[in-house]
Amino acid sequence: MMVELSVAPGNTDAFERAFAVQAAAVRAKEPGNRLYELFKSRTLADSYTLIEIYEDEAALAAHRTSSHMAANRPLTAPFLATPPVMHMFTVAPHSL
């Protein structure tokens, strides 16, 4: 999954601090999570991309309904300028 995040100007430091707490909880409490990394754009001000990889759909469902996400979403949401834009992917078959 790839999530595009636009942070309100002047709020990037506070957003990054709040997000760090959320990311630490995901990594510590979700054995089905394989990657949870936030990337800050070098070209677009206040723009971030979150890349998430889960073992399977059950791991993604567990992430979405976890108590730590319920607790952390309200801590990051106030810093967003617009709603997150989510992109869902599946692994493409390898060509020979």
Side-chain angles (χ1 to χ4, degrees), residues 15 18-20 22 72-80:
F15 170 74
F19 188 86
Q22 177 175 308
N72 283 300
R73 277 187 198 104
L75 302 178
T76 57
F79 302 115
L80 299 180

Side-chain angles (χ1 to χ4, degrees), residues 33-91:
N33 175 264
R34 297 292 175 243
L35 180 72
Y36 197 80
E37 291 291 338
L38 183 67
F39 297 87
K40 185 175 185 176
S41 176
R42 292 184 185 181
T43 56
L44 296 172
D46 307 317
S47 180
Y48 294 81
T49 300
L50 171 62
I51 304 293
E52 303 176 54
I53 298 175
Y54 297 91
E55 187 174 290
D56 52 27
E57 289 296 321
L60 176 56
H63 167 74
R64 289 182 170 154
T65 60
S66 67
S67 60
H68 57 272
M69 285 305 296
N72 283 300
R73 277 187 198 104
L75 302 178
T76 57
F79 302 115
L80 299 180
T82 60
V85 176
M86 294 185 164
H87 303 278
M88 302 296 289
F89 300 91
T90 57
V91 176

Side-chain angles (χ1 to χ4, degrees), residues 9-24:
N11 288 290
T12 57
D13 290 342
F15 170 74
E16 288 178 16
R17 283 191 301 274
F19 188 86
V21 172
Q22 177 175 308

